[in-house]
């Protein structure tokens, strides 16, 4: 099998808005052919990056490769127009053509006599065959997104960009479309770049993640490796130094806590309103973890977790310790505390964490 | 002499509306979607007939198409035809006066469109022309239609510029507004009243048409 290629982007561009504020995008992104999630707060430059990849914004410098084909290369003076890039797009609000019915929308990107048949096939694949004759104004949000996916994919693009396509949908529609998205990606074997600011969604859909902040991709790679070791800039974006992919084990509503599995380590958190078995991203600030050398039993902290110090780093007046429990925790203490505990690699410690120090990342 | 004036007026207005619909839509698109040097100057130039006295606009047109004008001169030498005081001059005057209304309506209609519709069309393999005719124009149709109706009404009521470039020749260049003017000043009161009512009826119909476009949901 030939190697399948994803996105290979290295661009710089500067936007000047009407009120003459400048926004600088300096993005480097290299992905495989699967679903990559582009995560970041609003204003980080995610949509700007998508527009540059589509070809509707022109970078000042750099190169854009899509599925193994160069579509933009500033040094070589190459800049393929949007329609020759073969990159599909699904917008947050579906943005179907309101003057065409669902079938007309899907057939819009097709040529040839059998275009309507092929469009119908694609609509059926999206489980939206019954909607063919309806206008966008007669469709629900979820139905519109199905038609928008069908429209983008029917044109046989070399890659698909998704700009927060689920953010306006309710939870059941999200789940349904999310699994369909994963199936479609596997069938079509083209790279998807999925923009979201919902970490739960990022976790469900993506195997790779790129975290964006202030116009830069601050970290990218496999989802699990990034969650277990976010860079300082990625931490800012994620909001916590510790990000866990937690699986809910059971709830204790009377007692006011939920038990979760953080990947080999059990912990108690505040009550989570998700069914047992579901996965949820949890954040934990490194300052919210206490270190003890003995197992303290009489404490209000719900979690007393045994672990081994893997690494100790001095960061100015503070010290960061990485503790394996087996889940990896990053803990920040003052230099004085580190000195008194004689923190060093290989040492056995206990982590004290309040249940409510874990917070759900969405 | 009522029917010839009505016939002439309709003929002139329809031809002018057709010209203006095409040119004004193109101009509106240019102003709404293209960034280029002198865009605002061009916009001001397009709107000039709205603010200039019609006789001044007519005067400039007369300079342009007159025997020694940059258009009229060569035309006369090459074909022996003169545009002044002809039906073509009536159409020209009506078109120039109606053009700003169409260009404005089109510009606003196109500016209100979500640009991403055009991006989506391009990602689906459509070039600029195809995206324009198959997406932008259908989506802007309400504003464009309103522009067409307004242009027709403006062309129908044109007086000053027409008088300057086409004169007031009954049966040849005398449109309804000119006929009203002549009827009043030659003391034909009944004729003036009929002509005025006729013009009012057509204008009210045009305004009703614009109003109904607002509720139009195809």
């Amino acid at each position: 099998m030939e190697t399948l290629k994803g996105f290979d982007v290295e661009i710089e561009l500067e936007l000047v808005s009407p009120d003459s504020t400048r926004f600088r995008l300096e993005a480097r992104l290299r992905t495989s052919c699967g679903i990559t999630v582009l995560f970041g707060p609003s204003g980080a430059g995610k949509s700007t990056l998508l527009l540059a990849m589509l070809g509707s914004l022109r970078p000042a410098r750099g190169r854009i490769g899509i599925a193994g084909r160069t579509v933009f290369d500033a040094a070589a003076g190459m800049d393929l127009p949007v329609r020759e890039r073969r990159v599909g797009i699904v917008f947050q609000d579906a943005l179907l053509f309101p003057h065409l019915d669902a079938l007309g929308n899907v057939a819009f990107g097709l040529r040839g006599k059998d275009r309507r048949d092929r469009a119908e096939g694609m609509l059926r694949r999206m489980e939206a065959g019954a909607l063919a004759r309806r206008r966008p104004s007669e469709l629900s949000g979820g139905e519109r997104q199905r038609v928008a996916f069908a429209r983008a994919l029917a044109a046989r693009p070399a890659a698909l960009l998704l700009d927060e396509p689920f953010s306006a949908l309710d939870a059941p529609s999200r789940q349904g479309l999310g699994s369909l998205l994963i199936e479609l990606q596997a069938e079509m074997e083209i790279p998807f770049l999925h923009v979201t600011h919902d970490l739960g969604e990022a976790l469900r859909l993506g195997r790779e993640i790129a975290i964006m902040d202030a116009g830069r991709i601050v970290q990218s790679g496999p989802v699990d490796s990034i969650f277990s070791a976010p860079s300082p800039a990625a931490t800012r974006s994620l909001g916590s130094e510790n990000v866990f992919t937690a699986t809910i084990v059971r709830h204790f509503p009377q007692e006011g806590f939920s038990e979760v599995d953080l990947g080999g380590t059990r912990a108690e958190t505040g009550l989570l309103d998700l069914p047992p078995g579901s996965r949820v991203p949890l954040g934990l600030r490194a300052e919210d973890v206490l270190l003890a050398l003995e197992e303290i039993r009489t404490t209000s902290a719900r979690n007393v977790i045994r672990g081994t110090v893997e690494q100790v780093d001095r960061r100015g007046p503070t010290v960061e310790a990485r503790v394996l429990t087996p889940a990896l925790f990053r803990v920040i203490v003052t230099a004085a505390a580190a000195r008194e505990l004689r923190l060093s690699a290989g040492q056995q410690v206990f982590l004290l964490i309040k249940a409510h120090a874990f917070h759900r990342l969405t | 002499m009522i029917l010839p004036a009505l016939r002439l007026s309709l003929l002139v207005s329809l031809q002018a509306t057709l010209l203006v619909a095409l040119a004004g839509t193109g101009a509106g698109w240019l102003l709404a979607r293209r960034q280029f040097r002198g865009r605002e100057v061009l916009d001001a130039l397009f709107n000039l007939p709205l603010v200039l006295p019609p006789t001044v606009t007519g005067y400039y047109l007369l300079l342009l198409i007159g025997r020694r004008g940059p258009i009229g001169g060569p035309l006369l030498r090459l074909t022996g035809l003169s545009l002044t005081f002809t039906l073509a001059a009536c159409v020209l005057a009506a078109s120039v006066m109606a053009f700003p209304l169409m260009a404005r309506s089109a510009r606003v209609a196109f500016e209100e469109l979500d640009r991403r519709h055009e991006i989506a069309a391009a990602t689906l393999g459509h070039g600029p022309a195809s995206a324009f005719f198959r997406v932008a124009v259908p989506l802007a149709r309400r504003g464009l239609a309103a522009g067409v109706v307004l242009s027709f009404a403006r062309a129908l009521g044109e007086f000053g510029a027409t008088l300057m470039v086409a004169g007031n020749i009954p049966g040849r260049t005398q449109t309804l507004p000119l006929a009203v003017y002549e009827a009043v000043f030659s003391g034909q009161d009944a004729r003036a009243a009929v002509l005025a009512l006729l013009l009012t009826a057509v204008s009210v119909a045009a305004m009703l048409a614009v109003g109904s476009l607002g509720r139009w949901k195809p």
Side-chain angles (χ1 to χ4, degrees), chain A residues 329-345:
Chain A
F329 283 79
R330 305 208 294 169
V331 183
I332 291 177
V333 295
T334 59
R339 194 175 54 240
E340 280 165 28
L341 292 175
R342 297 212 184 98
L343 274 188
S344 60

Side-chain angles (χ1 to χ4, degrees), chain A residues 89-103:
Chain A
I89 176 85
V90 175
F91 292 109
Q92 175 180 352
D93 38 0
L95 214 77
L96 298 173
F97 301 127
H99 61 298
L100 301 174
D101 61 18
L103 188 64

Side-chain angles (χ1 to χ4, degrees), chain A residues 83 93 96 98-99 108 111, chain B residues 116-117 122-123 125-126 134 139:
Chain A
R83 69 175 186 281
D93 38 0
L96 298 173
H99 61 298
F108 192 84
R111 304 262 186 291
Chain B
R116 294 176 305 161
H117 277 304
T123 65
H126 291 258
R134 294 189 55 187
L139 290 188

